Amino acid sequence: MTMIAQQVTELLAKMTLREKVGQLTQCGNSIYNDDYKIGWELLRQGRIGSLLGIGEVEQANELQRVAVEETRLGIPLLLGFDVIHGYRTTFPVPWAEACSWEPELARATAAASTREAAANGVNWIYAPMIDVSRDPRWGRGVEGAGEDPYLVGRFAEARVKGIQGETLSDGWHAAACAKHFVAYGAAIGGKDYNSVDLAPQTVHDVYLPPFRAAIDAGAASVMTAFHDLNGEPCTGSHYWITETLRERMGFAGVVISDAGSTDQLKVHGYTADDRDTAKTALLAGLDVEMCFGIFTYQEHLEALVREGAVPVDTLDAAVRRVLTLKYELGLFEHPYRDVKMAAAALGGDGSRKLAREAARRSVVLLKNQDVLPLKKTQRMAVIGPLADDREEMLGTWSGVGRAEEAVSPWDALKTRANASHAKGCQAVEPSPALFAEAVQLAQNSEVAVVFVGEPRSMNGEGKSRTSNTLPGVQLELLEKLKATGTPLVVVVIGGRPLVLTRVAELADALLFSGALGVEAGQAYADVILGEYNSSAKLVNTFPTVVGQAPLYYNHNNTGKPPVEEFFWTSKYLDAPIKPLFPFGYGLSYSRFTYANLALSQTAATGTEVIEVRVDVTNTSAVDGEEIVQLYITDPVASLVRPVKELKGFAKVFLRAGEMKTVTLKLPLQSTGFHNRKLEYVVEKGKLLISVGTNSADTISQALMIV
Ligand code: BGC
């Protein structure tokens, strides 16, 4: 038995039933509301084991003091917080950052965010969000890493490592929480919280792999999602929590419900009342109840155990997992945080530098008709509702980030270029009152740089959309500006794949990113002025019209693949076959060509690792970075397979004119899928290996798996 296991056993032996249930009860920061005074009393009685949303070190210390000094057993608290892309220093939203295709960058920003949060008393971070998101209508894709299970998995692993570090107990790290288990992103119609109806194979091939990656990286906890998956609400599902997550995937850490999702079991019609909910959730394998008004564990578990409806062993196992985490975090030894160190940990040059680096690496160049980069001396009109809005730079879930610490594009460009500013219109309101001034400014400028997009209030939790257009009169503004004849650089900021069809026609150059955080303005300026050569690529397919949703590159092959000229094929009457921009798409000020794709062997067994080599040349006069992408296609299989699947990538730097042979490793074990019996298989036969600059533009070679 390890030392921690021993300590937990001893502590558990001293606990009353009520105290045990307390460890599984999480209360919100409502404990600080005047009308929830009873919360403090419950805390003193050891009936609360963790809290959510405590964002100040003084409060964290005060709560820990009550737990440690005023409860019978002195058990410290888990203090959870949504540090999604920064605590005080706001980094790019995860979806934007994923466009860097640099998991190591995400690891660094997760570590920097955690450092700030942990120094301020947070020991449990509700990230990474690793829901694969294939539907542009769903608002929560902004918290994740896009539509591809492999890429989401790489970011899951990196962010878990960033949050947890080498050792959980050093005071600078926290427990990560992989969420939302599972397939939350597959909500029918892209409508948040909606039911999910999925083939089990799809759950296993698409939605579980990122959780596998997070678990392998050591994630200390997992959060169950709100929705019902094939009829079973995730929070009350023995099949998903115990049989799948714990038994099949080997996860041994803490499972917490999403906010109030226990209470919702009743609303789903899955449990009869709160007592039934408490029983169902605990027996399903749920440890901690993240309460939102209703405390089903606190109210009913004790009686359920006494009456024999819930075995005490099941309760003990859950409590054991929570206590183990508390010991692993070193909370029994160091429950408090040093207030001076807490303040000193916030922000600072190092974080700002990292924030800028992460931000500029997250800007995707989608179109450039010889307009960008701009010269500093060019007379530049900086226009648009998002050009000078610091709050918008922070994006959704911005922790304790402060708008006044953010740099807007106008803040940056007014000092770094020959720029003038006009707002042009509001982001959401339909009032065109400000058009005239912007049009006049564009007329008098050599180039107009227009910052438009979807405000942060329109993406994130509960923010599903059905149109995905630029809200308000922003498109009209672009039309008016286009009519001036002044070259138009359009920068779109958004939290989902927006419909940019007309925008892309109007723009002479087009940049896209999610909210970039405190250094957003500098990052856009870096790219626009050519001080950073953009290298980012989209992690979602962008639709031409929202009716194409759900839309993802790795869809199954149909029996009637789409052909433009042939009516009886799989397509829409009124939308193109192709998306506006494919997954993995992104330009650079450099240009790259691919040639000489070669495999280390043309036949291999399913357990071998092959090498895929390709010559990539920078044919331009500008140094730059390219993201080389490796896909597979299994053309004949016992179940229909996706037309393409990402299996690897590499970011390479190439000087102007330089050629490099890029080698990517492909473990053939990773090319399999779950068959009808849900066994993972790598079948024999042909496999197409494709490499290229995006998912649609690749060169291929065949391999035989023997
Ligand atoms: C969200 C979670 C979040 C939790 C706690 C929920 O509404 O779905 O992602 O961690 O709130 O704030």
Side-chain angles (χ1 to χ4, degrees):
M1 207 186 248
T2 63
M3 169 124 121
I4 287 183
Q6 181 77 38
Q7 287 167 315
V8 170
T9 303
E10 284 166 18
L11 183 52
L12 205 53
K14 295 184 202 153
M15 294 172 81
T16 62
L17 265 184
R18 185 166 285 193
E19 284 162 341
K20 288 179 183 175
V21 174
Q23 289 306 307
L24 308 184
T25 301
Q26 177 168 106
C27 146
N29 54 11
S30 53
I31 197 157
Y32 278 99
N33 294 352
D34 285 346
D35 57 357
Y36 194 58
K37 291 227 172 61
I38 188 182
W40 289 94
E41 203 31 53
L42 293 169
L43 187 62
R44 286 191 183 91
Q45 292 167 11
R47 300 188 70 185
I48 292 175
S50 59
L51 283 104
L52 164 71
I54 305 300
E56 286 172 21
V57 69
E58 288 82 4
Q59 291 186 343
N61 282 344
E62 181 187 20
L63 289 160
Q64 293 290 20
R65 195 194 55 72
V66 172
V68 170
E69 293 178 15
E70 298 186 25
T71 67
R72 194 178 73 90
L73 294 170
I75 303 173
L77 299 163
L78 288 171
L79 297 178
F81 203 86
D82 290 287
V83 184
I84 308 300
H85 55 110
Y87 185 66
R88 171 75 162 266
T89 306
T90 313
F91 296 96
V93 290
W95 184 57
E97 191 178 59
C99 294
S100 69
W101 292 57
E102 286 183 60
E104 280 308 307
L105 181 67
R107 180 177 175 157
T109 59
S113 309
T114 305
R115 207 181 153 75
E116 292 187 358
N120 281 274
V122 173
N123 49 43
W124 196 2
I125 285 182
Y126 297 138
M129 187 281 219
I130 56 176
D131 301 318
V132 169
S133 161
R134 295 172 146 191
D135 195 320
R137 294 168 296 183
W138 193 52
R140 296 199 77 172
V142 66
E143 298 170 51
E147 74 186 33
D148 182 78
Y150 175 78
L151 192 62
V152 176
R154 297 289 69 74
F155 277 92
E157 165 186 287
R159 288 184 172 130
V160 167
K161 287 184 180 164
I163 293 167
Q164 298 194 166
E166 295 293 324
T167 145
L168 276 183
S169 59
D170 63 7
W172 299 108
H173 292 92
C177 186
K179 68 187 189 184
H180 306 83
F181 194 78
V182 58
Y184 181 34
I188 294 172
K191 190 168 61 177
D192 207 6
Y193 316 127
N194 204 4
S195 296
V196 173
D197 194 351
L198 276 184
Q201 286 87 352
T202 311
V203 180
H204 283 266
D205 286 337
V206 178
Y207 293 92
L208 287 174
F211 284 92
R212 155 83 25 242
I215 293 168
D216 289 348
S221 68
V222 166
M223 186 186 292
T224 59
F226 291 118
H227 63 279
D228 80 276
L229 172 52
N230 300 338
E232 292 184 50
C234 296
T235 296
S237 167
H238 188 269
Y239 178 69
W240 292 116
I241 302 176
T242 296
E243 290 162 59
T244 306
L245 179 65
R246 292 207 192 282
E247 291 170 5
R248 189 174 170 127
M249 300 174 78
F251 178 66
V254 172
V255 177
I256 179 170
S257 69
D258 201 341
S261 64
T262 39
D263 182 29
Q264 292 153 22
L265 295 182
K266 193 176 60 188
V267 186
H268 274 289
Y270 189 69
T271 57
D273 49 29
D274 293 347
R275 180 188 148 92
D276 191 17
T277 295
K279 178 179 162 191
T280 304
L282 191 80
L283 291 181
L286 182 82
D287 300 327
V288 178
E289 178 180 29
M290 187 192 284
C291 301
F292 228 64
I294 306 229
F295 292 68
T296 75
Y297 277 13
Q298 200 180 66
E299 295 280 312
H300 300 286
L301 268 189
E302 207 184 325
L304 282 162
V305 175
R306 281 194 205 291
E307 291 157 20
V310 168
V312 72
D313 287 355
T314 310
L315 176 70
D316 282 358
V319 178
R320 180 173 279 282
R321 287 187 282 264
V322 171
L323 294 176
T324 301
L325 181 56
K326 291 186 174 183
Y327 276 106
E328 284 171 350
L329 283 161
L331 294 177
F332 286 87
E333 284 169 36
H334 303 289
Y336 308 116
R337 294 291 178 253
D338 182 296
V339 176
K340 281 207 189 93
M341 268 166 68
L346 297 173
D349 289 353
S351 303
R352 298 289 305 207
K353 215 170 143 206
L354 179 62
R356 178 153 170 190
E357 194 56 33
R360 62 194 201 164
R361 290 181 168 273
S362 306
V363 182
V364 191
L365 177 64
L366 293 174
K367 178 179 177 183
N368 188 16
Q369 285 181 330
D370 295 327
V371 185
L372 288 174
L374 302 182
K375 290 190 201 61
K376 288 181 173 177
T377 48
Q378 269 171 291
R379 254 181 307 114
M380 192 186 299
V382 177
I383 298 174
L386 302 184
D388 191 23
D389 191 329
R390 294 181 185 153
E391 200 168 310
E392 283 301 332
M393 302 302 115
L394 300 187
T396 184
W397 287 114
S398 50
V400 296
R402 296 186 179 173
E404 68 269 21
E405 291 174 5
V407 181
S408 74
W410 171 237
D411 289 331
L413 287 167
K414 73 179 164 202
T415 57
R416 293 174 61 184
N418 179 12
S420 313
H421 171 58
K423 188 162 184 147
C425 66
Q426 304 290 347
V428 186
E429 281 107 79
S431 152
L434 306 167
F435 280 176
E437 190 198 1
V439 166
Q440 197 185 12
L441 182 64
Q443 270 160 352
N444 296 331
S445 304
E446 289 169 80
V447 60
V449 187
V450 197
F451 291 85
V452 290
E454 179 190 69
R456 67 181 192 148
S457 59
M458 293 182 82
N459 52 67
E461 187 177 346
K463 315 276 174 53
S464 294
R465 295 185 63 195
T466 58
S467 66
N468 288 23
T469 49
L470 293 181
V473 292
Q474 295 182 88
L475 193 59
E476 274 174 62
L477 173 69
L478 293 178
E479 299 274 4
K480 292 253 185 300
L481 294 172
K482 180 71 181 176
T484 64
T486 303
L488 224 51
V489 176
V490 182
V491 182
V492 181
I493 304 174
R496 53 158 51 77
L498 292 170
V499 172
L500 301 178
T501 317
R502 180 66 185 145
V503 179
E505 286 166 3
L506 294 172
D508 297 287
L510 179 61
L511 292 161
F512 181 89
S513 80
L516 292 183
V518 281
E519 288 287 340
Q522 301 296 8
Y524 291 122
D526 287 344
V527 174
I528 289 166
L529 300 174
E531 289 171 27
Y532 177 77
N533 184 0
S534 68
S535 58
K537 304 215 185 211
L538 298 177
V539 295
N540 274 93
T541 308
F542 272 46
T544 55
V545 289
V546 88
Q548 289 176 318
L551 186 65
Y552 45 96
Y553 83 98
N554 47 356
H555 57 83
N556 277 5
N557 208 3
T558 67
K560 287 174 174 251
V563 179
E564 208 69 74
E565 314 75 59
F566 191 43
F567 190 77
W568 308 106
T569 60
S570 178
K571 57 180 163 52
Y572 296 105
L573 273 183
D574 53 358
I577 291 171
K578 289 190 179 163
L580 186 63
F581 299 112
F583 172 81
Y585 182 83
L587 304 172
S588 151
Y589 299 146
S590 312
R591 268 182 309 281
F592 304 99
T593 58
Y594 286 68
N596 304 325
L597 176 62
L599 309 180
S600 57
Q601 53 206 95
T602 49
T605 66
T607 53
E608 286 179 73
V609 179
I610 65 154
E611 284 189 352
V612 180
R613 284 185 284 272
V614 67
D615 292 344
V616 184
T617 308
N618 179 350
T619 58
S620 73
V622 189
D623 299 350
E625 281 178 301
E626 165 71 337
I627 299 163
V628 180
Q629 302 164 34
L630 168 67
Y631 296 89
I632 61 151
T633 308
D634 184 349
V636 182
S638 61
L639 287 179
V640 172
R641 303 300 306 138
V643 292
K644 250 177 201 168
E645 293 173 86
L646 183 74
K647 290 294 169 191
F649 57 89
K651 199 161 191 176
V652 285
F653 175 79
L654 292 166
R655 297 210 170 283
E658 190 182 9
M659 187 281 278
K660 271 186 190 160
T661 302
V662 178
T663 305
L664 294 149
K665 284 199 185 343
L666 175 63
L668 294 176
Q669 194 54 39
S670 74
T671 64
F673 61 92
H674 289 85
N675 67 15
R676 200 157 172 229
K677 293 185 196 151
L678 293 184
E679 298 154 338
Y680 184 79
V681 288
V682 178
E683 293 182 345
K684 291 186 179 134
K686 192 166 151 187
L687 198 66
L688 271 185
I689 315 287
S690 308
V691 173
T693 185
N694 63 59
S695 62
D697 191 1
T698 54
I699 50 178
S700 309
Q701 285 279 350
L703 170 85
M704 285 304 290
I705 299 193
V706 291

